[in-house]
Amino acid sequence: VQAVMAIDTLLNALVKQSRVTVGAAAGIRADINRAYAAVRAPNDYRGPEFRAALGSAVRSIRALR
């Protein structure tokens, strides 16, 4: 959960600094929400789904540079 929160915080900061548009952030937000869902319940951790969603969000943020 903390890893997802870190990426979410990073994305929010990039939007506030106008380094990422709200539209671009919306697409990345879908990946972040999927990652949150994969780790929401401790007894229902979905590792592969979490890694895929978080990896996609990170790649999308890197591509915005």
Side-chain angles (χ1 to χ4, degrees):
V1 173
Q2 291 179 349
V4 182
M5 291 168 65
I7 296 298
D8 196 8
T9 301
L10 172 64
L11 183 60
N12 287 333
L14 291 171
V15 170
K16 285 181 184 179
Q17 294 173 358
S18 299
R19 296 178 70 189
V20 174
T21 66
V22 174
I28 298 167
R29 178 96 32 230
D31 290 327
I32 291 171
N33 289 339
R34 283 189 311 121
Y36 271 129
V39 296
R40 184 166 294 141
N43 294 329
D44 187 32
Y45 173 71
R46 298 184 306 266
E49 184 179 330
F50 167 75
R51 287 188 297 278
L54 197 61
S56 180
V58 169
R59 283 189 299 279
S60 295
I61 291 170
R62 283 184 181 151
L64 295 171
R65 290 185 186 177

